[in-house]
C-alpha cells in the first residue's frame, strides 16, 4: 500500500438536523454550502483523486459552533456564514494551503 493519501484534502460538512430544538448545522444552510463547495471545486478543477473531496457527514458533534466543516488530514475545523466564507476556505486553505484564521474554530 502507498503512504500517499488518496485525497490531498478531504472536507466533511456536518449536515445534522436535531429534532429536539437544539442548534444544528442542517438548520443553517449546510446542504447548500456543501453543494456550493463541491461545484466550486469542480469548476476550479481541484476535485478528485490526489486533490480535494467534498463530502456530507452526519453529526460531527459541534453543531453549537456551527454550521461546521472539517478539513482532513489537517483536522482543521471551520464555521461559516455564507458562500463567500466557503470560497475563502477553498481559495485559502484548499488551494493555497493556509488556514483561514477568522473562520477557524
Amino acid at each position: 500500500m502507498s503512504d500517499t493519501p488518496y485525497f490531498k484534502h478531504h472536507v466533511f460538512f456536518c449536515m445534522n438536523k436535531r429534532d429536539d430544538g437544539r442548534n444544528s448545522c442542517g438548520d443553517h444552510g449546510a446542504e447548500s454550502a456543501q453543494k456550493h463547495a463541491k461545484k466550486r471545486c469542480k469548476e476550479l478543477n481541484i476535485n478528485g483523486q490526489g486533490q480535494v473531496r467534498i463530502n456530507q457527514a452526519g453529526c460531527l458533534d459541534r453543531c453549537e459552533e456551527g454550521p461546521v466543516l472539517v478539513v482532513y488530514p489537517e483536522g482543521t475545523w471551520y464555521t461559516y456564514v455564507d458562500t463567500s466564507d466557503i470560497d475563502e476556505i477553498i481559495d485559502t486553505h484548499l488551494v493555497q494551503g493556509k488556514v483561514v484564521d477568522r473562520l477557524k474554530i
Side-chain angles (χ1 to χ4, degrees), residues 58-69:
C59 185
L60 295 175
D61 205 25
R62 294 188 83 172
C63 288
E64 55 282 337
E65 299 175 85
V68 300
L69 64 86

Side-chain angles (χ1 to χ4, degrees), residues 28-80:
H28 294 282
E31 183 176 352
S32 62
Q34 187 268 344
K35 286 180 180 178
H36 173 81
K38 193 168 190 131
K39 181 180 178 215
R40 181 114 192 290
C41 287
K42 285 181 181 180
E43 291 170 354
L44 293 172
N45 200 29
I46 61 169
N47 66 307
Q49 184 178 350
Q51 298 187 83
V52 175
R53 172 79 180 175
I54 305 292
N55 275 98
Q56 297 181 3
C59 185
L60 295 175
D61 205 25
R62 294 188 83 172
C63 288
E64 55 282 337
E65 299 175 85
V68 300
L69 64 86
V70 60
V71 179
Y72 287 111
E74 300 91 329
T76 304
W77 290 83
Y78 290 110
T79 188
Y80 55 89

Side-chain angles (χ1 to χ4, degrees):
M1 288 200 331
S2 171
D3 288 336
T4 305
Y6 195 78
F7 297 110
K8 181 178 179 182
H9 298 289
H10 205 154
V11 182
F12 293 92
F13 280 77
C14 179
M15 307 297 273
N16 189 44
K17 287 193 176 191
R18 292 177 173 155
D19 294 329
D20 61 6
R22 291 184 297 154
N23 196 28
S24 61
C25 296
D27 294 329
H28 294 282
E31 183 176 352
S32 62
Q34 187 268 344
K35 286 180 180 178
H36 173 81
K38 193 168 190 131
K39 181 180 178 215
R40 181 114 192 290
C41 287
K42 285 181 181 180
E43 291 170 354
L44 293 172
N45 200 29
I46 61 169
N47 66 307
Q49 184 178 350
Q51 298 187 83
V52 175
R53 172 79 180 175
I54 305 292
N55 275 98
Q56 297 181 3
C59 185
L60 295 175
D61 205 25
R62 294 188 83 172
C63 288
E64 55 282 337
E65 299 175 85
V68 300
L69 64 86
V70 60
V71 179
Y72 287 111
E74 300 91 329
T76 304
W77 290 83
Y78 290 110
T79 188
Y80 55 89
V81 174
D82 54 28
T83 56
S84 66
D85 289 343
I86 299 300
D87 289 344
E88 185 174 357
I89 293 166
I90 292 169
D91 295 341
T92 304
H93 191 132
L94 303 183
V95 173
Q96 298 174 26
K98 301 174 186 171
V99 172
V100 182
D101 287 323
R102 75 176 192 87
L103 298 173
K104 187 178 174 189
I105 298 174

